[in-house]
Amino acid sequence: MQPFVSTREIETLSKPLYFEDLAIGQTFATGTGTVDAERLKAFAAEFDPQPFHMNEIAARASFFGELVASGWHTAALCMRLLVDGELRIVGGLIGMGLEELRWPRPVRPGDVLRVESEVLDLRPSRSRPDRGIVRMRNTAFNQDGQTVMVQVVNMIVPRRPPRES
Amino acid sequence: MQPFVSTREIETLSKPLYFEDLAIGQTFATGTGTVDAERLKAFAAEFDPQPFHMNEIAARASFFGELVASGWHTAALCMRLLVDGELRIVGGLIGMGLEELRWPRPVRPGDVLRVESEVLDLRPSRSRPDRGIVRMRNTAFNQDGQTVMVQVVNMIVPRRPPRES
C-alpha cells in the first residue's frame, strides 16, 4: 500500500502569508498525486464501505459502472495536495466551512490529481480584528484536465500584527 | 490502532428505500462512534499533516489550542456512521455534492459522534426519469450534544420501477 504523496516538488514562497498578502484573483497551484487502488479500497473499508468503492466486480453493477473513490477520499487527497502546495498561510490552512463541494466526475484508481486555488473574496472579521476570512475556490483536475472536484471554502487567515507591517 | 466502528447496532429498515419512499421532514439516525487519538493522527499524517492535527504539544500553540481532528476526518467518520445507519437507499448513498459543509466546533480525541439526517427537499430529475434528487441535512453531534458538523447534501436516489409500484 503506497501512501499518497505529491510527486512534484512545489517552489513554496519564502514566508507563509498573512491576510494582507492576499488579493482577489491570486492563484496557487499544488503538486500532483496518483490515486492508488489499494489505498482507495482501504479508505472505503474504513469510512465509506459501499460496493462501488471497494470491489471492481461489484462496482460494475453499480451506478458508477466501475470502481471509484469515495468523494471523501478525493477531498482528503486534495487537502494533502493543498497542505503540500504553494499556498502557505500563517498558522496553517484552517477552513471554517464550505459553501459548495461538488464531484462532477468520479475519481478512479491511477488518476493523477492536482488542485488549483483562486482567491474569490477577502473580508476582515467584524468580531475579531486579528483575523480575516478568505473565500477561495479549490478546483481539482485529473490527468485529462477534467474537473473532479470543486470547493468554495472560507478560510480563517491571521492579519499581520502592527509591528510587522 | 482501533478502526472506527459504530458502537450501537441500528435497527435498519427491512428494505432499502426508493425516491418514492422518502418525504420531506423524515429523519434518520445513526449509531455512535468514538474518535480514536491514534487514528486521528494517522489520518492527519496521510491527508492533512498540520501540527494541530498531529501533535498535542504543537497543537497548544496553534489556533485551536489543543489537538483536533481534520475536518475531512470528521466528514469521513460521519460518512461511516451514515453508511451503517438507518437511512438505506437502493443502490447506495450517492452524493452529487454539498451546498454547505460547516464545522462549528472542533472534534477531539475521545469524542463520541453521531449523525441525524433530515429530508429537506425532493425533486424528480428533469433529464433522467429513473432518478430523483434528495436534499438532506446531516448534522453531527458530540457526546455533549454540541453540533460539530453540518452538511446539506444532494443525493441521487433511484425512482421505483413501474413494475414494483
Side-chain angles (χ1 to χ4, degrees), chain A residues 93-114:
Chain A
L93 299 181
I94 299 175
M96 295 168 57
L98 290 85
E99 295 174 19
E100 182 182 344
L101 174 56
R102 292 186 292 116
W103 299 280
R105 272 187 194 75
V107 168
R108 294 150 308 184
D111 278 0
V112 181
L113 305 186
R114 67 182 178 86

Side-chain angles (χ1 to χ4, degrees), chain B residues 46-124:
Chain B
E46 185 170 4
F47 296 118
D48 195 350
Q50 303 196 82
F52 38 78
H53 299 320
M54 298 182 76
N55 182 288
E56 285 87 352
I57 310 292
R60 280 188 216 150
S62 77
F63 174 81
F64 296 102
E66 61 183 336
L67 186 70
V68 299
S70 169
W72 301 111
H73 193 194
T74 302
L77 293 172
C78 289
M79 186 69 205
R80 176 57 186 264
L81 290 172
L82 288 165
V83 169
D84 292 344
E86 277 181 352
L87 174 60
R88 293 174 62 215
I89 300 286
V90 174
L93 299 181
I94 299 175
M96 294 168 57
L98 290 85
E99 296 173 17
E100 182 182 342
L101 173 57
R102 290 185 294 117
W103 298 281
R105 272 188 193 74
V107 167
R108 294 150 307 184
D111 279 359
V112 181
L113 305 186
R114 67 183 179 85
V115 182
E116 281 181 15
S117 302
E118 180 180 355
V119 178
L120 299 180
D121 194 27
L122 295 159
R123 56 194 160 86

